[in-house]
Amino acid sequence: MQNEPVEVTLKVTGVFERLGVPYLIGGSLASTLYGTVRTTQDSDIVAEMQMEHLPTFISALQDEFYMDEEMIADAIQRNASFNIVHRETFFKVDVFIPTPRPFLKSQLARAQRQTFTFETEASAKFASPEDTILSKLEWYRLGGEASERQWRDILGVLKMRAGEMDLAYLKKWANALNVGDLLERALTE
């Protein structure tokens, strides 16, 4: 698989779309789409998956992915995360079941559909550039502000999308998420 991160991820988002589960692709796939390219060992999907989706989700992906049904059920019940691993490529997909909050609603509403052409055309919803930055700023803060990789991703998106982003939106949510100081630092750098 030449474009394995995207192709494997689209297998999972395709199931979410069939099930009507609101989702978005974030993390390094989104920051690479909008910023500077870097290799990644996994993809991150935020999905509002419920217990009623579990049987169909398992049945649709179990032949192609290693997965633990109990771990997935536990993640759904606790608003936590789980991962599944593609059998052929060993590429890992992390699925985050979010706790409902205003920023999540905004992220899902602003997600942008991106289309890719492999053997056929496929598309999926990605976090917007602004929401990619905001999420990475949150993760950077939660990680003790130590991850150079997260910081490079933030700066890469800011640099590549300069002049295109909604700065008022960025600043509003950065302040609400208590990362306004980090956003100011990134904009200065």
Side-chain angles (χ1 to χ4, degrees), residues 125-185:
K125 293 180 181 178
F126 281 75
S128 71
E130 294 87 351
D131 292 326
T132 299
I133 290 167
L134 291 164
S135 293
K136 287 200 162 276
L137 286 170
E138 272 195 306
W139 280 109
Y140 183 72
R141 167 116 325 135
L142 288 170
E145 301 178 25
S147 172
E148 287 182 36
R149 182 177 288 173
Q150 292 280 13
W151 192 251
R152 275 195 312 269
D153 288 347
I154 292 161
L155 296 179
V157 176
L158 283 170
K159 180 179 178 183
M160 298 303 287
R161 298 295 167 160
E164 298 174 22
M165 291 199 291
D166 184 342
L167 287 176
Y169 177 88
L170 262 175
K171 289 178 180 182
K172 170 193 156 193
W173 280 109
N175 289 328
L177 299 169
N178 296 315
V179 294
D181 58 322
L182 293 176
L183 176 61
E184 290 305 319
R185 186 174 122 204

Side-chain angles (χ1 to χ4, degrees), residues 34-82:
Y34 300 125
T36 49
V37 176
R38 76 166 167 92
T39 58
T40 182
Q41 304 301 315
D42 62 10
S43 64
D44 298 332
I45 302 173
V46 174
E48 291 189 309
M49 192 172 171
Q50 304 292 319
M51 288 303 288
E52 69 226 32
H53 302 125
L54 185 58
T56 306
F57 181 82
I58 296 290
S59 136
L61 295 172
Q62 67 186 353
D63 291 342
E64 287 190 77
F65 289 84
Y66 295 104
M67 57 180 59
D68 180 333
E69 187 170 350
E70 284 181 37
M71 179 180 65
I72 297 171
D74 182 60
I76 292 170
Q77 291 169 341
R78 295 185 308 108
N79 292 94
S81 65
F82 66 88

